[in-house]
Amino acid sequence: MVRRYDSREEDHRGFRLEYWLAIFLIIIVWIWAFKLYFDRYEDMRPEVTWAIQGINTEIVKAQGVLLWKESVLTASKSGTVSYPQGTGPTKVVRGSIIATIISDSTPIDIKAPDVGYFIAGTDGLESKWMYSQLWNEDEIPSDIQPVTMKKNGDAVAAGESIGKLIMLPQELKFLGKIDITGDLSDQLKNKSLRVMMDEMDMVSRADVRVSKSIGNTMKVYLTLPWFQPEVLSSRKCILTIEAGITKGALIPETSVVFKNGTYKVYLVRGTRVVLRSVEGKDVGDSKFLVTNGISIGDAVIKDASGAREGRIQLW
């Protein structure tokens, strides 16, 4: 049987194709319209943050060595040594027994010749560690070994060191190099540095005995405001110095962009956003401290990467 051709079927198929194309185009237009609406909505209502008061303390770590006066104590006879007050470092008084040598079953007491810190060990630098020599060298010694300690029951020979005494009272000295930054130049001119034992310590003052410039650094000889016995285990020292305090407006680092060689933020003024140049620096913890350009309490766009100038609606 031959099927009869009906032109209405072709018209019907053409109509269905055009219908679905129209539906598809309508969907595309709706998606585009919704995207345009939400983009516009986000542009009109960006997330805003407010600048708060910020303080940044600049810290410098200075590598150096420690100097003090000391006296090496030796065994008068061969035997085994014991330390009734411990191997230290510990504070002892004049005339107290700091070591006992057992020689031929006879105990020989060694007494402290003065008040001071006793430590049952030496590092081999006791007779060589002099300020006059260290100051004339451009480089600070780095190959310094820690104290080699003795313990109870060790065998010692006659004349062998059994420890040393660091006499008290005396001042602890520091000799090292520091990079000049912040207000360190002014501190050095005033012959006093703001120092700390570590970053958690309170600031104290160290007197600058002498200083000289070596390249991009400054070599200094300081009198430290403390002398704990723990420092006697090694002559190496890393000194913490406060190099200045900066105050300003603290904002998230995401609120700052770098354009044309300057830092900029999008500042909210009423119902408008304006691009404002600022000065400042990263201070860690994803924060930026602005020292010039905005004030504490100013509103800025939190994410500057997608922000732009113009009208906004905050509420």
Side-chain angles (χ1 to χ4, degrees), residues 107-171:
I108 302 172
D109 293 331
I110 298 177
K111 298 181 180 181
D114 210 333
V115 177
Y117 291 135
F118 172 75
I119 182 170
T122 54
D123 58 12
L125 297 173
E126 284 73 22
S127 59
K128 306 172 184 176
W129 205 244
M130 294 178 290
Y131 159 76
S132 57
Q133 178 182 349
L134 295 172
W135 183 253
N136 292 327
E137 298 175 357
D138 286 345
E139 296 300 322
I140 304 298
S142 58
D143 55 342
I144 304 171
Q145 299 302 314
V147 168
T148 300
M149 297 291 291
K150 282 185 166 53
K151 60 183 182 297
N152 290 321
D154 279 355
V156 293
E160 183 180 345
S161 67
I162 52 97
K164 59 185 177 182
L165 184 73
I166 293 83
M167 290 73 72
L168 294 176
Q170 69 165 296
E171 295 172 324

Side-chain angles (χ1 to χ4, degrees), residues 219-271:
K219 191 172 185 179
V220 295
Y221 184 43
L222 312 175
T223 298
L224 298 182
W226 56 73
F227 196 163
Q228 298 87 354
E230 293 79 12
V231 303
L232 301 174
S233 298
S234 174
R235 300 180 195 265
K236 286 185 180 180
C237 178
I238 299 177
L239 186 63
T240 303
I241 305 172
E242 182 200 279
I245 296 176
T246 304
K247 298 180 179 180
L250 194 65
I251 59 177
E253 64 179 10
T254 55
S255 297
V256 184
V257 292
F258 193 73
K259 290 184 176 181
N260 301 322
T262 60
Y263 292 111
K264 298 180 184 293
V265 300
Y266 286 92
L267 180 65
V268 178
R269 281 286 182 256
T271 60

Side-chain angles (χ1 to χ4, degrees), residues 42-105:
E42 291 179 357
D43 288 343
M44 290 290 293
R45 295 170 175 82
E47 190 174 358
V48 174
T49 187
W50 282 263
I52 62 174
Q53 183 176 11
I55 298 176
N56 178 61
T57 302
E58 189 169 359
I59 298 296
V60 172
K61 299 287 188 177
Q63 301 278 349
V65 295
L66 299 173
L67 295 92
W68 56 72
K69 295 177 182 179
E70 58 196 356
S71 175
V72 177
L73 305 177
T74 59
S76 56
K77 285 188 177 183
S78 299
T80 59
V81 64
S82 62
Y83 299 96
Q85 299 191 56
T87 56
T90 186
K91 190 173 183 179
V92 296
V93 299
R94 184 197 300 268
S96 62
I97 299 173
I98 55 178
T100 299
I101 307 295
I102 305 297
S103 178
D104 299 327
S105 301

Side-chain angles (χ1 to χ4, degrees), residues 199-213:
E199 293 187 32
M200 303 303 295
D201 187 27
M202 295 181 63
V203 173
S204 301
R205 292 281 179 175
D207 293 333
V208 180
R209 302 171 71 93
V210 63
S211 63
K212 66 178 179 180
S213 178

